[in-house]
Amino acid sequence: MTHSVCIRRIGPRMLMTLPLLLAVLCVPLALVAGAWRPAAAAWVGVTGAAAALAALFWGAAQGPASISVPWAPTWGVNLELSRDGLSVLYGALALGVGGLVALYSRAYIPHHLEEQHRPEREEVRFLVLMLSFMASMVLLVMARDILLLFVALDLTTLTSYLLIGFDRREARAREAALTALVVTGTTSVFFLVGVLLLANAHGSFSLPEVLARAEPGPVTTVAMACLAVAALGKSAQVPFHFWLPRAMAAPTPVSAYLHSAAMVAAGVFLLQRLHPLLEKAPEVRAVLLGVGLASMAAGSLLALTRDVLKEVLAYSTIAQYGYVVVMVALGAEGAPLYVLAHGLCKAALFLTAGAVIQLTGRERLSELGGLGRALPGLAVGSALAAAGLAGLPLTLGFFKDEVFFHALSKQGPALKVAGTLGAGLTLAYSGRFWWDLFAGTKRPGPVHRASRLLTLPVGVLAAAVLLGGVWPAPFEHVARAAGAEMVGHPVELSLAYHLDARTENLLALAAWALGGLLLATRRTWEAPLGRAMEVAGRWGPARGYAGALAGVDWLSSALHRLEVRDLRDRVAAVLVPAGLLGLLALWAHPVSGRFAFGPVGWGDVPLLLVLAFAAGAALATLRARGHLSLVLLLSCVGFSLALAFTFAAAPDVALTALLVETTFTLLFAALLRLLPRERLERAQAEALRPRRRDLLSALVAGGSAALLSWNALSHTREERLGEVELRAAEAAHAEDAVTAVLSDMRGLDTVGEVSVVVVALLGLTRLLRKD
């Protein structure tokens, strides 16, 4: 069967969405397979990721494609997906590394669970979370609707929170997960603000339409600034970087996947996807350039001073994505290639670190060394990965540095110097990491034999890094398409070795010389640099985060203490803020003729009498003695309002209100019989005790409600309301407007509200019976 016949049978739309469908399908299949046998979940993940990757490349061979399916038509929101250069590169990275990490997990996670005395079925939970994250990443890179981008971004945030906190019995893991959630979740709010600004300004959530309509100006600048904050938070860039080293509390497969090639890559992916907008906001590009350089410096210096294996790699990730942010700010089309090369190298190094920790029981560089003979496979694989990260020839990493230096070659000397220093530091910390693990004298302590599943993924990733160094054509093809999609026009991206004195080569030679010098003299600067970074760390963003968290915790506790003193304070805690918001809305939107008096005739006298009776019953509740009297007075208010609806020609609503009021009156009366008498008497005494704050709360809440109602009724036109309701009834296929409002527009709300009240009453009844 030829390719064209296959495509005709599958359909181009199905072929385009097939990678996403397969990635999503992995999740329930892994769950089902895991219920049969926990080990099967990992193999389902590996197979599913491989199938999705094959479908992605198959579709990519057919060229770019897109699909748009209505999602919320009244809001203009569509499920708009595309297969273009960026989605293919990032999708391949997410699926390829994801499949290898799932394979690695088959060997790593059972041992990890055994050490923590946890049941083996938790391996299934781990795999399901990993595969859920993988599907979220595929959705993110394929989304072409900015609201869908936000949804996918938040899905990655939620699943990453659960993965980082997988070892939930450990306080360190819970704290790390919370930090990651607070930082990335808070910055995601900025993303939503940017999305809404763009949609409001351009009348669409479709990214191609927004890109076509956007012009330089304050709206584009502010929106892009908000979007950039979210991207920087996700990619752990200064000043949001502190969550990433803490996230190393997660199991190593999580670090290898999320913190090398997926979650942190999502931030720079967004910057590349939105790059045409970024070009129209030069102020934001200037800020990004500064943030990227700061992240390069901070991440590199901290990586040189850390002793824990995974922390070294975490800080190097911060530095490496700083390079990418710099390239995006400069408009360098090689940025996607840099992400691809770094993801392959860093994932291999993380997997190596995890294997070493599990096989030796030690996690610090100072406790390790000379493992090359005991673990030759890991030594060779990680050597290639470290060489790729350092940008040495015959690795794909050489070309990532080449495109970086190519971008710098068009800039001034300051950026060239900064880039060279950064690349030199990269070689130094990469070399230090590998050398302290595998070279030198072996430290005392047992080294267990590595299983094939621990070393095979490292070998595959290392082979890809080597293949990219000796045969870069396949990587060049993918990276060129991604670069063109990023900048919005065809690009010239040629990966080859040039033995001449061009600027890129000179900068690379200078970086290697600097890195070699730093490695050779490390004993002289390591201790002073470590102390300096420790002092600097005391005043870094992490300190501000801790202070902010403590302040929020104090405020929350104070409000909680205020709220839970008694029932009246709990009610006031809801009504007073709501009343203040209502007054603020009235103050913020002044309207002429806000409060108007309508005509009152003799025909309105019955209605006025009913309302006066309801008001009198409401006031009488303030002095009611006895809970039964209070219930009866409240029912009088409800029945009076039900009667008022009959004067407004709404018998349906009146009957509904009558039914609800009768039901709740009977329920309240029944509950009062179950309450102990002494408690009722105590509550009655407290309720009749005068308190000034109760009067103030009542004035704020009642005054706000009265003013809002008066304002709304002053601007209500009968004919306008009628048109709205009739249109709504027609759209809801209802026989009349009242039915449409009750059963369609507010149907679910009403069911939900009544369900909550009924469940609460039933629960209360149960508690009282137990008492």
Side-chain angles (χ1 to χ4, degrees):
M1 187 182 297
T2 63
H3 282 183
S4 58
V5 173
C6 286
I7 293 170
R8 279 201 299 273
R9 289 191 175 182
I10 294 177
R13 291 161 67 98
M14 176 60 78
L15 180 60
M16 207 215 75
T17 56
L18 194 55
L20 177 60
L21 294 175
L22 288 171
V24 173
L25 192 61
C26 279
V27 180
L29 287 180
L31 196 60
V32 172
W36 168 61
R37 185 172 295 176
W43 295 110
V44 169
V46 174
T47 307
L53 184 63
L56 181 69
F57 283 137
W58 183 21
Q62 314 307 318
S66 62
I67 184 174
S68 181
V69 179
W71 180 14
T74 52
W75 291 1
V77 181
N78 298 319
L79 289 174
E80 193 170 354
L81 305 171
S82 74
R83 182 185 62 227
D84 54 29
L86 278 175
S87 61
V88 170
L89 186 144
Y90 279 90
L93 193 59
L95 292 168
V97 176
L100 290 172
V101 169
L103 182 65
Y104 180 90
S105 301
R106 178 74 279 279
Y108 184 93
I109 292 298
H111 183 74
H112 180 77
L113 295 174
E114 186 181 349
E115 284 182 334
Q116 297 194 345
H117 307 290
R118 293 163 67 179
E120 64 175 1
R121 64 175 179 276
E122 293 212 27
E123 181 184 354
V124 182
R125 175 172 169 265
F126 178 82
L127 264 299
V128 167
L129 289 174
M130 284 286 289
L131 296 174
S132 299
F133 182 88
M134 184 176 73
S136 303
M137 275 299 297
V138 176
L139 175 63
L140 177 72
V141 302
M142 295 185 74
R144 291 287 278 176
D145 183 285
I146 50 178
L147 195 57
L148 186 59
L149 274 176
F150 170 73
V151 172
L153 191 68
D154 271 8
L155 286 175
T156 63
T157 299
L158 291 175
T159 47
S160 66
Y161 165 74
L162 296 172
L163 282 167
I164 295 171
F166 180 72
D167 295 335
R168 54 188 181 280
R169 296 177 184 173
E170 297 183 8
R172 181 167 162 253
R174 295 196 300 271
E175 183 186 354
L178 180 63
T179 303
L181 179 67
V182 169
V183 175
T184 57
T186 304
T187 52
S188 286
V189 176
F190 283 88
F191 192 87
L192 180 61
V193 172
V195 165
L196 295 178
L197 281 173
L198 291 173
N200 183 58
H202 307 298
S204 175
F205 287 103
S206 171
L207 183 57
E209 292 181 14
V210 169
L211 295 181
R213 297 173 188 173
E215 296 293 339
V219 173
T220 302
T221 302
V222 173
M224 200 56 229
C226 292
L227 298 171
V229 167
L232 295 175
K234 207 75 173 172
S235 286
Q237 295 295 283
V238 172
F240 308 112
H241 63 288
F242 55 89
W243 70 264
L244 185 58
R246 298 183 186 188
M248 296 302 107
T252 296
V254 177
S255 306
Y257 189 35
L258 274 65
H259 306 140
S260 65
M263 183 177 176
V264 286
V268 294
F269 162 76
L270 290 173
L271 291 177
Q272 292 167 23
R273 177 64 87 194
L274 300 168
H275 190 268
L277 278 179
L278 199 57
E279 285 189 328
K280 297 170 184 174
E283 300 89 350
V284 181
R285 291 178 62 182
V287 173
L288 285 178
L289 182 61
V291 169
L293 291 171
S295 301
M296 285 169 53
S300 298
L301 293 175
L302 286 165
L304 280 171
T305 59
R306 299 296 102 173
D307 191 31
V308 177
L309 294 179
K310 289 171 68 177
E311 287 187 4
V312 173
L313 298 176
Y315 281 112
S316 79
T317 298
I318 294 168
Q320 291 296 305
Y321 279 100
Y323 287 88
V324 183
V325 171
V326 168
M327 294 177 75
V328 172
L330 296 177
E333 63 273 13
L337 174 69
Y338 200 103
V339 176
L340 175 63
H342 168 262
L344 297 176
C345 298
K346 188 57 64 67
L349 292 176
F350 264 120
L351 295 179
T352 300
V356 168
I357 292 170
Q358 198 163 83
L359 296 172
T360 64
R362 288 159 282 170
E363 61 174 6
R364 293 181 176 276
L365 286 171
S366 57
E367 300 170 344
L368 296 161
L371 296 175
R373 290 187 177 178
L375 304 171
L378 283 177
V380 174
S382 60
L384 287 169
L389 190 63
L392 297 182
L394 299 180
T395 67
L396 183 61
F398 173 82
F399 297 111
K400 79 173 173 57
D401 275 12
E402 186 186 39
V403 295
F404 176 65
F405 288 136
H406 178 69
L408 295 185
S409 66
K410 305 170 187 174
Q411 307 300 319
L415 279 180
K416 290 188 179 73
V417 171
T420 306
L421 288 173
L425 292 172
T426 301
L427 190 146
Y429 63 66
S430 302
R432 171 176 173 262
F433 177 85
W434 188 89
W435 186 267
D436 286 358
L437 274 181
F438 296 104
T441 306
K442 182 182 178 303
R443 299 297 179 91
V447 180
H448 300 289
R449 185 178 179 184
S451 75
R452 290 181 181 177
L453 293 183
L454 281 180
T455 56
L456 182 61
V458 177
V460 173
L461 290 166
V465 173
L466 180 62
L467 179 66
V470 297
W471 186 39
F475 298 89
E476 177 188 303
H477 177 72
V478 175
R480 185 188 298 127
E485 188 64 32
M486 169 185 153
V487 298
H489 56 76
V491 297
E492 291 294 331
L493 184 65
S494 176
L495 305 182
Y497 296 101
H498 306 282
L499 301 177
D500 53 28
R502 64 182 60 195
T503 304
E504 293 90 326
N505 287 349
L506 295 178
L507 292 177
L509 287 173
W512 296 339
L514 174 63
L517 180 64
L518 288 172
L519 275 177
T521 60
R522 52 183 291 195
R523 303 300 177 197
T524 61
W525 51 260
E526 270 186 342
L529 180 62
R531 288 193 293 272
M533 298 310 296
E534 186 178 349
V535 172
R538 295 174 189 168
W539 302 97
R543 184 186 177 92
Y545 168 78
L549 209 60
V552 171
D553 187 55
W554 176 85
L555 180 62
S556 172
S557 300
L559 291 175
H560 179 71
R561 287 193 297 272
L562 181 67
E563 180 191 350
V564 300
R565 281 188 296 194
D566 57 35
L567 181 60
R568 283 181 290 175
D569 286 332
R570 291 192 181 189
V571 174
V574 176
L575 294 183
V576 171
L580 291 175
L581 284 175
L583 294 175
L584 180 64
L586 288 174
W587 173 79
H589 296 282
V591 179
S592 60
R594 169 182 289 168
F595 301 106
F597 289 97
V600 178
W602 287 107
D604 297 320
V605 171
L607 176 61
L608 291 175
L609 289 176
V610 170
L611 294 177
F613 181 77
L619 289 173
T621 59
L622 298 176
R623 305 304 301 171
R625 296 187 178 276
H627 286 78
L628 185 58
S629 304
L630 182 62
V631 171
L632 292 176
L633 285 170
L634 284 174
S635 67
C636 286
V637 175
F639 287 130
S640 303
L641 293 177
L643 184 61
F645 283 116
T646 61
F647 293 107
D652 296 6
V653 181
L655 286 173
T656 305
L658 195 63
L659 178 63
V660 171
E661 198 62 43
T662 304
T663 304
F664 278 90
T665 300
L666 293 175
L667 278 174
F668 273 126
L671 280 172
L672 285 177
R673 286 185 56 81
L674 297 174
L675 284 170
R677 177 174 293 279
E678 60 275 14
R679 291 192 181 183
L680 287 172
E681 291 174 353
R682 187 170 67 242
Q684 180 69 32
E686 290 178 357
L688 292 176
R689 190 186 312 149
R691 296 194 314 185
R692 290 184 179 178
R693 65 172 180 271
D694 292 343
L695 179 61
L696 183 62
S697 300
L699 286 175
V700 171
S704 175
L707 290 174
L708 284 171
S709 302
W710 189 1
N711 177 263
L713 292 172
S714 299
H715 296 86
T716 300
R717 298 289 180 270
E718 187 177 349
E719 62 277 9
R720 207 175 79 190
L721 272 182
E723 291 175 5
V724 171
E725 304 305 333
L726 289 175
R727 282 202 304 271
E730 186 178 353
H733 307 289
E735 293 183 357
D736 53 64
V738 175
T739 304
V741 171
L742 291 179
S743 64
D744 190 86
M745 295 170 63
R746 292 209 65 243
L748 290 176
D749 291 352
T750 307
V751 170
E753 291 164 359
V754 173
S755 301
V756 169
V757 173
V758 170
V759 169
L761 288 173
L762 292 175
L764 186 58
T765 306
R766 180 67 179 168
L767 287 174
L768 290 171
R769 284 183 176 176
K770 283 183 70 175
D771 189 58

